[in-house]
Amino acid sequence: MPLSAQEIERIHELPLFSGLSPDGLRDLLSVAAVRVHGKRKTLFLQGDPATHFFVVLSGWVKLYRLRPDGAEVVVEIFGAGESFAEGAMHMPEGYPVSGEMVEEGRLLEVPTAAFGERVRQNPDLAISMLASMAVRLKSFVNRIEKAETQTAAQRVADFMLKFSRQDRPEDKGVVVRLPYDKQLIANRLGMKPETLSRALSALRKQGVHVDGARAEIRDLPALKRFTAPG
Amino acid sequence: MPLSAQEIERIHELPLFSGLSPDGLRDLLSVAAVRVHGKRKTLFLQGDPATHFFVVLSGWVKLYRLRPDGAEVVVEIFGAGESFAEGAMHMPEGYPVSGEMVEEGRLLEVPTAAFGERVRQNPDLAISMLASMAVRLKSFVNRIEKAETQTAAQRVADFMLKFSRQDRPEDKGVVVRLPYDKQLIANRLGMKPETLSRALSALRKQGVHVDGARAEIRDLPALKRFTAPG
DNA sequence: CGACCAATTGAATGTGTTCAACCCGTGTGG
DNA sequence: CCACACGGGTTGAACACATTCAATTGGTCG
């Protein structure tokens, strides 16, 4: 199942590929593969040589680390329209994390060798890549700040806000669909599943009502205020 | 006080500049400035346009965020021989953190405009920069993992180990000098000063004896073991 | 129906924070 | 030269938040 024209367009709009001409992109895509992976499929393991980086076309992917004691630390989760592991191509020690499908989905898999070659020959592409990594860097800074200053409930609220596209700004309320199971959300937010469960209960006082994967936020601005410290 | 030959050599050995020829480096340095800053001097504020990036020649610099409630989150601390804020040049929103001198020191200040120009014209330099940002990215992943899985005492032990250069591998013990004041260390490790103080006391059981800024590690391998989970 | 797994809830525990008191070295002004 | 204030650091006690362990619910798949 190759790429649809619409998908190619969306890929071109990714920051990472904005430095490519339409021809350049087509050329790059000719050496890339589109593959479907089932749930729980391992894409790569920490330490593997970084032979590919990825673009999520559909489904969800988690990047995680396994600690010696078996505990899993989820570093990031990516969904449709996001690229990941592109930074690893400049890490001689290989991927710094392991990658696994969370839900069945399609991935664009780009060989790092071919991409690196083009980066070398196309300064605009190099700049795009730098910008893309700068964005990631900044998101890590955000994460560190949040992990260190927010309570569990605040982090959960923050997480839900990220998934709430406010279609009609005149409404203060909105319904959010939690995109993957709660264990994964908990891990991504640096807490235990029990803590997430309790945090969701606690958010009822903030006008958040959760039933399964469906979450209803009654007052978006109020929740946003709850997120901030002080 | 311009750069000494030795300093220029050390700058050239930085990953960030390894993509430059000796002439290229000289050329770049001709547009850079060396400045001395006193303790507590603000270098830039979060949101400021990223006009420069920096190399620490001597002293210490902290990068931090100020939360609305006035709390300060220290994101990173850099010392002699390290570059910082180079990633900000690709962030249209400006520096993602604020920067301040911790101790008096000398900085090499490189204008981003001039550097960006050279990145555009020199693919090797672009690659160096990508590699440099990849290293930073990985260090953030490490930090997230540590923050989420280690106790305060373990993080403190880990911190001291980073500063313990093991001169003679036949010795199991070593003396470490804490490089800056404990409030800053505490903040950098995501804990309160009181907690750091208690953690240092607790480490006595692991053969760590602290007096002021002088810390003695009696059994390096044992402390390393203590750092790991499980 | 029964087994299993995700999710929830309760109770006990643990780790770190908060608030307060105190020590100590340094620097300042009388 | 001494008295005193100040800031960094330490320590104690009470508290808050999250984890752990255990029990229970509810849904899904066999």
Side-chain angles (χ1 to χ4, degrees), chain A residues 144-204:
Chain A
I144 288 170
E145 178 187 336
K146 279 168 188 164
E148 287 191 358
T149 61
Q150 292 181 322
T151 66
Q154 286 174 319
R155 296 203 299 278
V156 172
D158 199 75
F159 176 83
M160 288 193 300
L161 287 172
K162 222 183 334 223
F163 283 92
S164 71
R165 318 248 327 89
Q166 189 161 7
D167 324 289
R168 292 171 300 178
E170 71 271 18
D171 291 345
K172 290 177 29 175
V174 70
V175 170
V176 180
R177 180 146 278 287
L178 301 182
Y180 26 77
D181 70 50
K182 298 190 183 175
Q183 298 184 65
L184 183 56
I185 296 176
N187 198 333
R188 166 55 238 273
L189 296 177
M191 65 187 76
K192 302 292 162 190
E194 295 95 321
T195 304
L196 172 60
S197 188
R198 284 184 239 274
L200 287 172
S201 306
L203 285 177
R204 243 196 310 274

Side-chain angles (χ1 to χ4, degrees), chain B residues 151-152 191-192 194-195 198:
Chain B
T151 65
M191 65 188 75
K192 300 294 161 189
E194 296 95 322
T195 304
R198 284 184 240 273

Side-chain angles (χ1 to χ4, degrees), chain B residues 42-56:
Chain B
T42 293
L43 301 170
F44 50 82
L45 293 175
Q46 179 180 352
D48 284 354
T51 57
H52 296 78
F53 74 88
F54 304 81
V55 177
V56 183

Side-chain angles (χ1 to χ4, degrees), chain B residues 115-136:
Chain B
F115 190 76
E117 224 171 81
R118 283 159 181 82
V119 166
R120 239 167 216 295
Q121 270 140 29
N122 182 349
D124 286 340
L125 186 56
I127 301 288
S128 299
M129 187 156 190
L130 284 166
S132 177
M133 290 181 70
V135 169
R136 195 127 306 155

Side-chain angles (χ1 to χ4, degrees), chain A residues 37-53:
Chain A
H37 294 290
K39 188 168 175 166
R40 300 217 137 266
K41 163 81 183 194
T42 293
L43 302 170
F44 49 81
L45 293 175
Q46 179 180 352
D48 285 354
T51 58
H52 297 79
F53 74 87

Side-chain angles (χ1 to χ4, degrees), chain A residues 1-11 29 34 57 106:
Chain A
M1 174 102 40
L3 292 162
S4 70
Q6 192 194 19
E7 280 174 326
I8 292 177
E9 181 153 348
R10 258 197 289 150
I11 289 170
L29 290 181
V34 176
L57 301 171
R106 295 170 69 229

Side-chain angles (χ1 to χ4, degrees), chain A residues 136-152 154-155 158 162 188-189 227-230, chain B residues 46-47 63-76 95-98 140 143-144 147-148 187-192:
Chain A
R136 194 127 307 154
L137 220 43
K138 194 179 169 186
S139 87
F140 275 128
V141 172
N142 288 337
R143 169 137 183 214
I144 288 170
E145 178 187 336
K146 279 168 188 164
E148 287 191 358
T149 61
Q150 292 181 322
T151 66
Q154 286 174 319
R155 296 203 299 278
D158 199 75
K162 222 183 334 223
R188 166 55 238 273
L189 296 177
T227 289
Chain B
Q46 179 180 352
L63 304 187
Y64 65 97
R65 279 208 179 163
L66 230 42
R67 304 237 54 184
D69 63 353
E72 182 181 292
V73 179
V74 174
V75 177
E76 288 190 281
Y95 297 107
V97 294
S98 301
F140 275 129
R143 168 138 183 214
I144 288 170
E148 286 191 359
N187 198 333
R188 164 57 238 273
L189 295 177
M191 65 188 75
K192 300 294 161 189

